[in-house]
């Protein structure tokens, strides 16, 4: 059961924001993705953001915490820390997570969890809505090949997340603990084993998702992968659901990847989200990182309000909604389901009054 709607979207829960947008009123993002660190301790074979070059840069804590307070007051609801690097390489990551929640913004992390030590878990877990761990194999050797790291990192991740589960149980924290794997020919035979291990150490879920080719990525090894021959795995994994543990097999997203079809021609989702990279740059879309047209400003130079209400962002948003050709965009991008929903709202079929 996908209780968190991981294979869908949650914009329908923000009726006020959608309603204001439909009326042409200015709105602030519901959700943001932030990259605290540009560098990474892994070099995964599927990495979509390898073109960012794993730069050794980190968000400036003092300035970013100031912007967090501002963004919370402006109406930003959630931030996922992930991006082009490994979040926990930032020395102040636990402090940033706590500051996010104190600013009235829900905080979450996608991480490889190798550095998610007992000390960091103890400091961060009380303030997190969820942490999702990228772990793309069921054995240390396959893990090392896919993540391009040491086999012992696999055991570190299992140990770290087992501790997080015990810590959550001891203190009654509400943080959801999950793992995710990109389904590849290289790990297909180990996904069931991974699910069993995730369940055994107290995870809430394992997400099994498809690969998605970033148009700017140097990695092209899996660009032609098809998922129709892997869909039988869904029924096998369903049998492992037990108690509070579920496998979320993203079949809908896999089928969209195979079909490569969209119901929308342009991008309507930009007003509802934003991306901040490890250098403090605010981007309208992570698909176009490095493209100046999509860089809205920098939080070290301007307030978030100044950046979001700038003529550049307004012009770009209007262009994306009316001219951007989404056929050239990343299949299954972060805002794909949101765009499908917004397109249907603004381009309704006949007979919608017959509810």
């Amino acid at each position: 059961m996908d209780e968190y709607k991981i294979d869908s979207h949650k914009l329908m829960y923000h009726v006020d924001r959608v309603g204001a947008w439909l009326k042409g009123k200015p709105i602030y993002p519901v959700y943001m993705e932030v990259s605290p660190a540009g560098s990474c301790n892994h070099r995964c074979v599927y990495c979509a953001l390898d073109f960012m070059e794993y730069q050794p840069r980190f968000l400036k804590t003092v300035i970013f915490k100031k912007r967090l307070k501002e963004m919370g007051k402006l109406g930003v609801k959630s931030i996922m820390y992930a991006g082009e690097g490994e979040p926990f390489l930032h020395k102040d990551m636990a402090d940033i997570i706590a500051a996010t929640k104190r600013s009235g913004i829900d905080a979450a992390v996608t991480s490889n969890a190798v550095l998610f030590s007992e000390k960091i878990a103890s400091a961060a877990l009380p303030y997190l809505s969820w942490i999702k761990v990228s772990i793309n194999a069921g054995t240390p050797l396959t893990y090392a090949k896919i993540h391009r790291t040491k086999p012992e990192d696999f055991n570190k991740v299992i140990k770290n997340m087992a501790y997080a589960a015990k810590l959550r149980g001891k203190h009654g924290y509400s943080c959801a603990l999950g793992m995710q794997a990109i389904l590849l020919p290289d790990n297909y035979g180990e996904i069931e084993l991974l699910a069993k291990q995730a369940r055994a150490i107290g995870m809430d879920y394992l997400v099994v998702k498809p690969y998605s080719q970033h148009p700017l990525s140097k990695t092209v090894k899996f660009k032609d992968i098809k998922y129709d021959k892997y869909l039988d795995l869904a029924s096998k994994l369903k049998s492992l659901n037990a108690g509070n543990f579920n496998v979320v097999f993203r079949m809908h997203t896999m089928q969209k990847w195979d079909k490569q079809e969209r119901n929308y021609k342009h991008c309507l989702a930009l007003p509802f989200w934003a991306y901040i990279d490890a250098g403090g740059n605010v981007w309208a879309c992570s698909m176009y990182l490095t493209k100046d047209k999509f860089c809205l400003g920098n939080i070290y130079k301007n307030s978030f309000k100044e950046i979001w209400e700038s003529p550049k962002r307004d012009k770009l948003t209007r262009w994306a909604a009316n001219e951007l050709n989404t056929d050239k965009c990343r299949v299954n991008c972060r805002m794909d389901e949101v765009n499908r929903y917004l397109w249907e709202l603004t381009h309704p079929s006949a007979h919608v009054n017959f509810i």
Side-chain angles (χ1 to χ4, degrees):
M1 183 178 69
D2 184 11
E3 66 172 300
Y4 300 111
K5 294 188 179 295
I6 294 171
D7 205 28
S8 181
H9 73 94
K10 287 161 271 195
L11 199 56
M12 75 284 283
Y13 297 114
H14 301 277
V15 177
D16 56 340
R17 202 78 56 106
V18 175
W21 173 78
L22 285 169
K23 294 176 181 178
K25 296 180 179 180
I27 62 169
Y28 276 86
V30 174
Y31 163 81
M32 293 182 65
E33 185 172 328
V34 175
S35 179
S39 55
C40 192
N41 52 346
H42 286 180
R43 292 292 185 273
C44 300
V45 296
Y46 59 83
C47 183
L49 297 182
D50 53 5
F51 65 92
M52 294 295 286
E53 302 289 351
Y54 311 107
Q55 301 171 57
R57 57 181 185 169
F58 303 88
L59 277 179
K60 297 177 182 179
T61 305
V62 174
I63 297 177
F64 183 65
K65 286 169 70 174
K66 182 179 179 181
R67 296 291 179 256
L68 281 173
K69 291 180 181 179
E70 179 196 6
M71 291 188 291
K73 292 177 181 177
L74 290 171
V76 174
K77 298 291 187 183
S78 66
I79 293 177
M80 179 183 75
Y81 293 103
E84 67 258 33
E86 164 51 44
F88 289 112
L89 281 171
H90 195 297
K91 63 181 179 65
D92 297 324
M93 194 62 241
D95 185 34
I96 288 172
I97 290 169
T100 305
K101 190 63 178 177
R102 289 173 181 146
S103 298
I105 302 171
D106 292 340
V109 177
T110 296
S111 163
N112 61 42
V114 173
L115 302 174
F116 193 52
S117 63
E118 293 185 7
K119 180 180 179 180
I120 293 176
S122 298
L125 217 60
Y127 302 100
L128 283 170
S129 294
W130 53 264
I131 178 169
K132 190 185 299 174
V133 177
S134 178
I135 178 169
N136 296 279
T139 64
L141 288 179
T142 303
Y143 175 89
K145 290 177 182 178
I146 293 176
H147 285 250
R148 288 196 287 197
T149 187
K150 304 180 295 295
E152 49 263 39
D153 276 1
F154 178 85
N155 296 322
K156 286 182 181 179
V157 174
I158 296 297
K159 179 183 177 182
N160 288 345
M161 295 312 294
Y163 176 80
K166 291 178 181 177
L167 186 68
R168 179 182 64 174
K170 179 180 179 180
H171 295 283
Y173 298 143
S174 60
C175 177
L177 303 174
M179 292 180 163
Q180 75 174 12
I182 294 177
L183 184 57
L184 303 168
D186 312 51
N187 62 17
Y188 169 74
E190 296 187 7
I191 297 298
E192 290 179 80
L193 176 59
L194 176 60
K196 291 176 181 177
Q197 292 178 90
R199 183 179 65 182
I201 64 170
M203 297 297 97
D204 297 305
Y205 60 82
L206 168 69
V207 176
V208 183
K209 59 185 285 189
Y211 173 78
S212 176
Q213 181 69 44
H214 195 298
L216 298 178
S217 179
K218 297 177 182 180
T219 301
V220 294
K221 178 180 179 181
F222 304 107
K223 69 181 180 65
D224 296 320
I225 190 173
K226 296 294 181 183
Y227 283 97
D228 55 349
K229 61 182 178 181
Y230 298 121
L231 299 183
D232 64 306
L233 188 58
S235 58
K236 297 177 182 177
L237 293 170
K238 188 176 181 180
S239 67
L240 298 176
N241 293 344
N244 295 322
F245 177 78
N246 286 286
V247 178
V248 180
F249 190 85
R250 298 189 63 178
M251 184 178 292
H252 175 54
T253 307
M254 292 179 192
Q255 291 170 334
K256 287 192 297 180
W257 169 263
D258 283 359
K259 292 178 181 178
Q260 304 273 314
E261 294 176 349
R262 296 179 176 89
N263 73 325
Y264 53 94
K265 296 180 180 179
H266 311 299
C267 182
L268 305 179
L270 297 191
F272 295 92
W273 90 299
Y275 181 99
I276 298 179
D277 69 22
N281 298 302
V282 181
W283 299 86
C285 178
S286 60
M287 223 298 288
Y288 294 97
L289 294 176
T290 75
K291 306 296 183 182
D292 183 68
K293 182 174 184 176
F294 286 80
C295 185
L296 306 177
N298 189 287
I299 60 171
Y300 303 152
K301 299 177 181 178
N302 296 97
S303 69
F304 190 78
K305 185 176 189 292
E306 290 171 334
I307 293 170
W308 199 253
E309 294 184 2
S310 67
K312 182 176 183 178
R313 193 198 73 86
D314 181 65
K315 181 180 178 181
L316 176 66
T317 302
R318 292 178 186 278
W319 174 82
N322 295 287
E323 298 182 48
L324 175 65
N325 181 5
T326 54
D327 287 341
K328 297 180 180 179
C329 287
R330 185 179 185 182
V331 176
N332 288 330
C333 79
R334 187 80 71 193
M335 291 292 109
D336 178 68
E337 283 295 322
V338 169
N339 260 318
R340 290 173 185 269
Y341 172 68
L342 295 175
W343 192 266
E344 188 175 353
L345 277 179
T346 54
H347 298 77
S349 58
H351 308 158
V352 294
N353 292 334
F354 293 88
I355 61 172

